[in-house]
Structures are given as C-alpha cells and as structure tokens.
Amino acid sequence: MLALGALLQSAEAQRPAVATRRAHDSALAVATADSAWARIAHTFYDTTFRGQDWAAVGRTVRDRAARAEGMDEVRAAIEAMFASLGQSHFALVPSEAVASWSDAPVDGESLGDVGLEFRYLDGVVIVSRVVPGSPADVGGVHAGWIVKTLGDLDVAGFTRTRLQVPAGSARKLAELQLPLSLMSRTQGRVGSVLRASFRDGEGRERTLAAARRPVQGEIVRFGHLPPQVVRFETQRFTDERGCVGVVRFNVWMTPVMPRLDDAMVEFQRCRGIVLDLRGNVGGVAAMVMGFGGYFVDTVTSLGTMTTRATALRYLANPRRSDRRGASLAPFGGSLAILVDGLSVSTSEIFAAAMQVVGRARIFGETSAGQALPAMLAPLPNGDVMQYVVADFTAPDGQRIEARGVTPDHRRPLRRSALLAGRDEAFLDALAWAGGAPVTATTTAADSRPVVPKR
C-alpha cells in the first residue's frame, strides 16, 4: 500500500487565484459532497470520526451543497467537513488546478526556474536559499532578503490574504503552504523572465529580472498528483581525518532511490553523513523502509501504520548490496538529519524513526507535524480529494501528527545569520557528523558519547 505524504502543498501551490465561473449544477454539487463524505466514511482509520456523528456530518455537508450557488461554496462545505476531523492531509484541489497540470510543462527542457527557496519568518517571506549558479545567484540575490514582489504579485498582500484563517492547525497549515505557493510562482517556461523585488539587509530595494533555466531535477508524474520536480544533491566535505557526505532531496519519489544508493556507495567510508530534509514535503512513505536499511545492521522497526482493518509495521532490513549487486555494508558512521517546519510526512516518519532507534541526531527546527498516510481520488466535479486512511506511530509508539519531530539540537532560522552567509543548522549538523563538538546549542543530551553502529 502506498501512503502519500503532504504533496497537498504542491497541489495547493497551483490553486488558481480565481476559480473559473461556470453554470452551477446543483445535482453535481450534491454528488460531489456525497462522494467526499463517503470516501471518509468508508476509509478513515478512526471509526468514531473523532467523536462525531458522521451521518449527521454527511447530512450537513449535503444540505450546504444543495443550497450552494456555486462550486466554491460546495468546496467550502467539504473543507469544513475536513476541518471537523482536525487531521492533516485532507485537501481539495480544484478542478481548474487539476486541468492546469495537463497543460503544464512536463519535462526539464520546458519547465524552468531561477533557483530560489522561501520561508515565512517573523511575519515576512524571506529568501532562505539561493541555488549556487542559478539565475537568481547570478543576478545577485542573497539569502535573508525579504521578498516584496514576484511578477505582479505583492507578496505582503498575498501573505495577509493567505493567513486570514483562525489560529491553530489551519493557521499552521496556511503558513506551511505559503512559501510553497510562492516558490511555484518562480517557475515557468524556460526562457521566460521572472521579475522580482526584494529588501536587502540594509533596507534597500533590490530587483531581479532573470530568465528561467531548465529545472535542475527530474520531473515525474504520480497518480493524480501534479508534475513533481525531483531534486537531488550531494556534497563531500573532506579534511585530514576523512570525509563527511551531504545528501539533500526535496521529495520522496521513486527516482530518488537509485541516487540514494549511489550516494551511500560514494560515502561508505566517510565518518559521517548529513541528510538535509529541510523543505522536503514527503511523498511515498514506504520508501523509508528501503532507505532505512542503509543505516541499520539488524531488522529494525521504523514505526507502525494503522488502518481501520490492519496494523502494518514498517521494517528496515539491512542493506548488504548496492543496486548493482556489489557488496555493501550498512553505513556505520554518524548520521545527522536536518529538519524544519517544511519537513513533512515521509520526512518526519524517517527522521523520527532514526531518532527513536538511536541511529541519528536531529538538527534544525521542529518539523511540520503532518504525518498521516493518505490517498488521492477524483470527485464527480473533477476536483481531486486527498484523504487520510491511516494513523502512524514512531517505533516508541508516539504519534508524529500534530507533534512533529523535535530536534536534538534546535537551531531556529535567523535572518541575520542568512544575511551573514551562515546556514547555522547545517553547520551544526556538519560539525557533529564530522566529529567536532556542537557548542552553540549544546544540551544535556548532547554530552552523551557518540558510538556509531558498526
């Protein structure tokens, strides 16, 4: 069974600003509401529906759909039904956005970007990373700059609109989706120009007019999901004592696996590995079992997925050979994992498991706390619905949902550090994986000796 992570964020990023106006069909509206309700009724892992009378919930959403004057009202009713369960991974992607996926560029030669990543920090959207050598890098953009405009979009106004939701889980989800939605706006056809403006560290306005280059990654399609750009990077840091490998990827999709395998071969003799899962929005949850096998020397539980009918343990079997059949021992060095508020779902499942079994130290910020296996299905009106089908607990029995993965070494993102050119969480992780002490955020737990598994 495949469990899909929080790719709803990618879907949300493509939600149209204004829905297409069409003649309203009341029968279709009711059928859509009924279908959404029935999916949950038949598959949600908790048969108490979080203590609700689900039949009564169904009557309410059906009544709202019948009285709706447009599809937006129907969607609002369905999303209110989602919210009543208080769970992540429920999402509704409008049919207009789904249709746009078919028209979107689907290969690296036609889809381009400029190499920018964003985060929402202290009430503003900032540049959190500039891909080295990218058009934005060549154009002089620096991490830490505040994003003012992207094309014709006023980012501050867009932010206010998107965050006009009640405090709590809805607000947390909106803050998570915001930077992803804005990053999607930096993408477009290769050769098209992104015009953007920023405020630098001294408060001066800076501008960028950069032609988009082909994305540095592979574009894949998966079921009802929009095209996904799969990025994968490795780095090697070497000193007189040896090497530390760095692995970074943005989504758990199957094209990543052979590259992970090659990276594990390359870094086999390094004394440490840094796995950077910041901004990784999840994907195919079952992949954690295959990847986890590189880091354990006995069969190890990575957690349990519980559906209405079954409990499936995620087990990692030690990897004894690489994908070409050559002998390969499980990695015995230090493993540091970086997470932040945009590390979602499968990323959280893997980080939590490695932390609980004592195989990794976690660096950065608490993860999103959205780790429920989900599925996707079309609704009668053409919308795509993502719905939760299972609960997930880490190897210690703790839920990750709502709680997230708590770092062993907490290092919040700071704009001042970015402006100074320092990725502090990464430097912490690199230092620890390489054997140097982590001094700035040392806690009692940090004083324990590090004994890599052999």
Side-chain angles (χ1 to χ4, degrees):
M1 178 179 178
L2 292 174
L4 301 176
L7 297 177
L8 73 162
Q9 280 76 32
S10 295
E12 169 65 20
Q14 301 188 37
R15 182 186 288 263
V18 179
T20 302
R21 296 294 180 188
R22 294 181 296 188
H24 184 60
D25 183 334
S26 293
L28 179 62
V30 171
T32 299
D34 285 349
S35 179
W37 174 86
R39 284 276 176 186
I40 300 172
H42 297 149
T43 61
F44 191 55
Y45 68 90
D46 177 5
T47 55
T48 73
F49 301 97
R50 317 300 288 179
Q52 299 186 91
D53 180 343
W54 199 243
V57 171
R59 290 191 292 272
T60 298
V61 70
R62 194 175 206 274
D63 183 58
R64 287 186 61 178
R67 290 186 285 104
E69 296 181 354
M71 199 53 72
D72 285 350
E73 293 181 32
V74 179
R75 290 165 181 155
I78 293 172
E79 288 171 339
M81 177 177 65
F82 293 165
S84 72
L85 291 167
Q87 306 277 282
S88 71
H89 283 61
F90 279 105
L92 198 60
V93 184
S95 58
E96 297 89 339
V98 176
S100 73
W101 300 344
S102 300
D103 299 330
V106 295
D107 60 71
E109 295 301 315
S110 54
L111 180 63
D113 66 10
V114 298
L116 288 172
E117 295 180 13
F118 304 141
R119 293 290 187 278
Y120 178 67
L121 180 67
D122 298 331
V124 295
V125 176
I126 65 167
V127 177
S128 58
R129 184 171 185 251
V130 182
V131 176
S134 66
D137 187 27
V138 173
V141 179
H142 289 278
W145 287 7
I146 294 172
V147 187
K148 294 186 63 181
T149 62
L150 291 174
D152 296 330
L153 180 71
D154 173 66
V155 172
F158 181 79
T159 300
R160 284 194 297 273
T161 300
R162 281 301 178 101
L163 299 186
Q164 285 180 343
V165 294
S169 59
R171 173 62 180 250
K172 184 177 179 181
L173 179 61
E175 291 183 2
L176 188 153
Q177 292 171 337
L178 176 63
L180 295 168
S181 180
L182 291 171
M183 283 189 284
S184 75
R185 291 171 180 266
T186 68
Q187 296 180 339
R189 293 198 174 273
V190 171
S192 61
V193 175
L194 172 69
R195 300 184 186 281
S197 66
F198 309 87
R199 190 163 68 242
D200 69 13
E202 285 74 43
R204 296 171 298 189
E205 182 163 327
R206 302 279 193 152
T207 60
L208 172 72
R212 296 177 174 92
R213 294 179 185 169
V215 295
Q216 299 299 307
E218 182 178 351
I219 299 177
V220 299
R221 287 186 177 275
F222 190 92
H224 295 289
L225 293 172
Q228 299 290 314
V229 178
V230 180
R231 294 188 173 88
F232 189 90
E233 304 172 38
T234 61
Q235 291 176 282
R236 174 187 287 262
F237 291 80
T238 305
D239 61 19
E240 67 280 0
R241 296 175 296 168
C243 61
V244 175
V246 176
V247 178
R248 179 184 295 116
F249 58 99
N250 66 324
V251 60
W252 293 78
M253 299 293 276
T254 51
V256 169
M257 281 309 297
R259 301 181 186 186
L260 285 173
D261 191 272
D262 291 344
M264 296 308 300
V265 172
E266 178 186 357
F267 299 142
Q268 177 68 198
R269 297 187 181 281
C270 288
R271 62 183 187 276
I273 288 177
V274 176
L275 178 63
D276 189 350
L277 296 178
R278 293 175 297 179
N280 187 312
V281 295
V284 181
M287 285 177 61
V288 302
M289 292 185 279
F291 189 42
Y294 289 109
F295 300 100
V296 298
D297 55 9
T298 59
V299 177
T300 301
S301 173
L302 303 182
T304 303
M305 181 176 74
T306 306
T307 69
R308 183 177 294 189
T310 63
L312 176 65
R313 292 181 69 197
Y314 277 29
L315 297 177
N317 290 287
R319 291 292 298 262
R320 305 295 184 192
S321 63
D322 66 18
R323 66 188 177 98
R324 298 176 179 83
S327 178
L328 178 72
F331 182 72
S334 302
L335 174 61
I337 300 177
L338 282 160
V339 297
D340 67 5
L342 282 183
S343 302
V344 181
S345 194
T346 306
S347 295
E348 299 182 276
I349 291 171
F350 186 78
M354 292 291 106
Q355 183 184 46
V356 169
V357 302
R359 189 59 191 89
R361 293 282 183 91
I362 310 299
F363 294 76
E365 300 178 73
T366 301
S367 63
Q370 299 198 23
L372 293 177
M375 300 292 284
L376 292 156
L379 295 177
N381 70 339
D383 290 0
V384 169
M385 169 183 170
Q386 179 168 281
Y387 56 103
V388 175
V389 296
D391 197 6
F392 195 90
T393 53
D396 60 358
Q398 295 291 313
R399 297 183 82 216
I400 306 168
E401 175 74 3
R403 180 173 61 96
V405 180
T406 303
D408 300 297
H409 307 274
R410 187 170 183 274
R411 179 70 87 170
L413 187 68
R414 294 191 308 134
R415 185 178 176 228
S416 59
L418 292 177
L419 290 169
R422 296 195 309 275
D423 183 345
E424 295 178 309
F426 175 75
L427 293 174
D428 284 352
L430 186 64
W432 180 83
V438 178
T439 56
T441 58
T442 296
T443 66
D446 300 335
S447 62
R448 294 176 297 179
V450 177
V451 184
K453 291 184 177 181
R454 299 289 179 186

